[in-house]
Amino acid sequence: MNKTDSIARRILGWKLNRWDRWFDFENGVFIHESEFQPEHNLDHAMKIVQKLEEFGYHYTTDGVSMVRFNDIQASGDTLPKAIINAAYSIIERHANIHTPNIWNQLC
């Protein structure tokens, strides 16, 4: 599972429907992997930011290559890549915690 797939499933709450697409239950639509490229498209990356803000994370950036969600900071070659790296860091941080409340909040 790559970073984009992990973020789609654990943060956005999308379910893997086939090897190349997810299903977004909130909107009732299928999303093909070619239609969601947050590491290359700032609008797609901002969907992740919006969802994390709904979960209570505060987003700040230097506008170029550094992102912070509360106390989690990450960088990347571009702003979308920095967002992906920070979001994935959130997933990694909570991967070892086995409380349903955290996964209910993130999914």
Side-chain angles (χ1 to χ4, degrees), residues 18-66:
R18 266 189 353 201
W19 64 272
D20 63 342
R21 73 177 181 197
W22 302 282
F23 184 71
D24 177 357
F25 282 96
E26 282 184 20
N27 298 309
V29 296
F30 291 99
I31 298 137
H32 194 276
E33 66 180 13
S34 65
E35 297 169 349
F36 184 66
Q37 297 292 317
E39 65 276 359
H40 303 294
N41 185 314
L42 184 57
D43 290 335
H44 296 176
M46 293 308 290
K47 286 182 182 183
I48 298 164
V49 171
Q50 180 183 6
K51 187 59 105 172
L52 287 171
E53 285 179 333
E54 289 174 15
F55 293 141
Y57 287 91
H58 179 70
Y59 167 75
T60 57
T61 180
D62 70 355
V64 180
S65 63
M66 192 280 300

Side-chain angles (χ1 to χ4, degrees), residues 54-102:
E54 289 174 15
F55 293 141
Y57 287 91
H58 179 70
Y59 167 75
T60 57
T61 180
D62 70 355
V64 180
S65 63
M66 192 280 300
V67 168
R68 180 183 294 272
F69 289 105
N70 295 353
D71 62 335
I72 296 171
Q73 180 176 326
S75 61
D77 296 336
T78 63
L79 185 56
K81 287 183 182 180
I83 291 169
I84 290 294
N85 291 338
Y88 191 74
S89 293
I90 291 170
I91 291 170
E92 285 183 320
R93 176 177 280 183
H94 295 293
N96 293 330
I97 300 172
H98 297 292
T99 60
N101 293 338
I102 290 188

Side-chain angles (χ1 to χ4, degrees), residues 3-20:
K3 288 181 182 181
T4 300
D5 188 54
S6 294
I7 290 167
R9 294 166 78 181
R10 298 214 177 160
I11 293 176
L12 297 176
W14 298 349
K15 303 300 178 200
L16 192 61
N17 177 262
R18 266 189 353 201
W19 64 272
D20 63 342

